């Protein structure tokens, strides 16, 4: 065997290992997505079938493989098991492989590992947001801490004397990234829009405030119930007529953490991607749902997070080629 063949086999083995490690982490991420919003323990290890309640045996908990072997059915009762868990495991494996593909050890040190830890947090946040339209504070803090820790690690050398890791974006770009998009979202979502809308335009918001005050002041049960009904009606009117606040505090924090980890070009890529795909999704959603009561709002977080993941792998190249196209001359 010549040296190239050995190298090739070694590389394939590394990728296989990274994938297997990724799907194992993905299995833990499923637990986080499912249990964290309910405040349940992450370590109590007893997964049950959702239909018959039978405890799932250790050997049936192998990421991805178990679902395929059992053909998506519970071993005890034969009830269908959603492919979602398996898909999240596979997704994590693939994203881990991409971390190593775009930032191999030979060029960026252990950056791929920190990026994988960061993206793990993003996966949890995206699916939590999809399920509950909220992101867990603990996971938001986790992503911020991983981003900060990655910057700290750039100060250390590995045993060979090379830096332990090098980040694709420099510190300045990351600090700008941390405040630019998140600052803009903060300003638009929580200052400008509410000011214009609830302060000057919407009668509904004024009604809601008046009713809420009356509700708090009311002391008998009958008045309260009557007011509660009115409040529900006004809230429904706001939902239907109001501007859709596409994002919340979680989105702003995740964009700040994303900027600190990936630099401003990646966050700009993410927000442009999210606005375009989110708008397309919103139009399609409106067209296909005929439920009159359905809210126009949907979780914007998964779009931002998918944009961040794209930004993570492409670095600044999308923004660079755009700037080059616009201002780069002939
Ligand atoms: Zn079962």
């Amino acid at each position: 065997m010549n040296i190239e063949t050995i190298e090739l086999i070694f590389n394939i083995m590394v990728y296989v290992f990274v994938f297997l490690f990724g799907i194992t982490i993905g299995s833990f991420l499923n637990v986080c997505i499912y249990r964290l919003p309910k405040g349940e323990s992450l370590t109590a290890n007893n997964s049950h079938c959702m239909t018959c309640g039978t405890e799932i045996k250790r050997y049936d908990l192998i990421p991805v493989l178990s679902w395929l072997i059992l053909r998506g059915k519970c071993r005890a009762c034969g009830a269908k098991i959603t492919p979602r868990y398996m898909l999240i495991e596979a997704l994590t494996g693939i994203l881990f492989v991409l971390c190593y593909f775009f930032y191999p050890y030979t060029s960026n040190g252990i950056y791929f590992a920190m990026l994988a830890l960061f993206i793990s947090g993003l996966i949890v946040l995206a699916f939590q947001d999809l399920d509950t339209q909220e992101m867990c504070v603990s996971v938001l803090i986790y992503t911020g801490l991983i981003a900060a820790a990655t910057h700290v690690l750039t100060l250390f050398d590995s045993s060979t004397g090379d830096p332990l890791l090098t980040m694709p974006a420099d510190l300045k770009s990351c600090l700008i990234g941390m405040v630019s998009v998140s600052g803009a979202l903060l300003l638009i979502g929580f200052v400008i829009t509410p000011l214009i809308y609830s302060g000057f335009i919407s009668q509904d918001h004024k009604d809601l405030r008046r009713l809420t005050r009356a509700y708090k002041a009311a002391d008998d049960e009958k008045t309260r119930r009557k007011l509660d009904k009115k409040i529900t009606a006004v809230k429904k009117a706001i939902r239907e007529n109001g501007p859709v606040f596409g994002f919340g505090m979680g989105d702003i924090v995740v964009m700040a953490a994303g900027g600190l980890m990936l630099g401003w070009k990646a966050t700009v890529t993410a927000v442009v991607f999210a606005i375009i795909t989110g708008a397309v999704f919103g139009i399609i959603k409106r067209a296909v749902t005929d439920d009159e009561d359905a809210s126009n709002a949907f979780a914007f977080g998964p779009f931002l997070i998918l944009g961040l993941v794209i930004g993570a792998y492409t670095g600044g190249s999308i923004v660079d080629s755009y700037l080059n196209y616009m201002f780069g001359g002939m």
Side-chain angles (χ1 to χ4, degrees):
M1 251 196 300
N2 59 11
I3 191 84
E4 280 89 15
T5 322
I6 296 170
E7 224 168 77
L8 181 72
I9 292 170
F10 177 76
N11 273 327
I12 291 170
M13 278 168 61
V14 169
Y15 278 113
V16 169
F17 177 77
V18 170
F19 180 75
L20 292 178
F21 187 70
I23 60 175
T24 312
I25 296 293
S27 168
F28 175 67
L29 299 185
N30 271 321
V31 177
C32 294
I33 293 164
Y34 186 71
R35 292 188 189 169
L36 277 180
K38 297 193 207 166
E40 290 176 10
S41 162
L42 292 180
T43 45
N45 189 12
N46 42 3
S47 301
H48 296 270
C49 167
M50 303 275 185
T51 310
C52 68
T54 310
E55 195 168 319
I56 299 167
K57 298 277 182 335
R58 260 229 150 78
Y59 54 78
D60 282 340
L61 282 171
I62 307 163
V64 182
L65 204 63
S66 286
W67 191 88
L68 294 175
I69 290 171
L70 295 170
R71 288 182 198 169
K73 283 179 188 144
C74 168
R75 193 186 282 276
C77 71
K80 267 202 166 153
I81 302 168
T82 163
R84 179 180 149 144
Y85 302 107
M86 185 272 287
L87 291 174
I88 291 176
E89 286 158 0
L91 173 75
T92 311
I94 292 164
L95 294 183
F96 273 36
V97 164
L98 291 176
C99 286
Y100 194 74
F101 176 78
F102 284 107
Y103 305 104
Y105 181 77
T106 44
S107 52
N108 290 80
I110 62 161
Y111 178 71
F112 75 93
M114 296 307 285
L115 187 61
L117 287 173
F118 185 77
I119 286 178
S120 298
L122 294 186
I123 294 169
V124 173
L125 291 172
F127 284 96
Q128 278 178 353
D129 201 25
L130 213 58
D131 291 347
T132 65
Q133 299 224 355
E134 260 170 69
M135 300 182 190
C136 274
V137 176
S138 55
V139 186
L140 288 169
I141 293 171
Y142 163 86
T143 54
L145 287 177
I146 290 292
T150 310
H151 281 281
V152 173
L153 288 175
T154 58
L155 305 172
F156 292 92
D157 287 343
S158 68
S159 55
T160 55
D162 295 324
L164 194 56
L165 65 85
T166 49
M167 297 177 74
D170 60 22
L171 182 61
K172 196 174 135 197
S173 166
C174 289
L175 290 175
I176 296 169
M178 186 170 73
V179 294
S180 54
V181 170
S182 58
L185 291 182
L186 193 68
L187 205 64
I188 296 166
F190 290 87
V191 183
I192 298 172
T193 317
L195 257 186
I196 296 172
Y197 189 75
S198 69
F200 303 109
I201 299 171
S202 167
Q203 187 58 42
D204 291 333
H205 277 91
K206 282 176 191 164
D207 289 347
L208 181 63
R209 275 202 297 270
R210 184 176 52 78
L211 288 167
T212 313
R213 267 201 303 273
Y215 182 84
K216 278 178 188 154
D219 38 20
D220 69 299
E221 197 53 36
K222 207 176 155 197
T223 324
R224 277 181 168 238
R225 226 175 301 137
K226 215 188 262 172
L227 285 168
D228 194 46
K229 243 182 218 161
K230 279 186 188 165
I231 289 173
T232 312
V234 174
K235 276 186 179 165
K236 190 176 164 227
I238 290 174
R239 243 201 338 267
E240 279 167 4
N241 313 325
V244 181
F245 291 126
F247 49 89
M249 213 55 204
D251 300 325
I252 291 170
V253 176
V254 84
M255 289 312 287
L260 185 59
M261 184 75 186
L262 308 167
W264 72 267
K265 287 174 183 172
T267 55
V268 169
T269 306
V271 80
V272 171
F273 172 85
I275 289 168
I276 295 169
T277 51
V280 171
F281 177 82
I283 292 164
I284 294 171
K285 184 170 180 264
R286 207 176 256 219
V288 295
T289 45
D290 34 60
D291 182 4
E292 288 288 312
D293 294 335
S295 155
N296 293 328
F298 54 89
F300 194 48
F303 295 96
L304 283 171
I305 288 171
L306 185 55
L308 277 180
V309 171
I310 291 168
Y313 297 138
T314 56
S317 57
I318 294 175
V319 172
D320 282 339
S321 44
Y322 177 75
L323 292 176
N324 199 39
Y325 171 74
M326 292 299 284
F327 309 110
M330 302 314 281

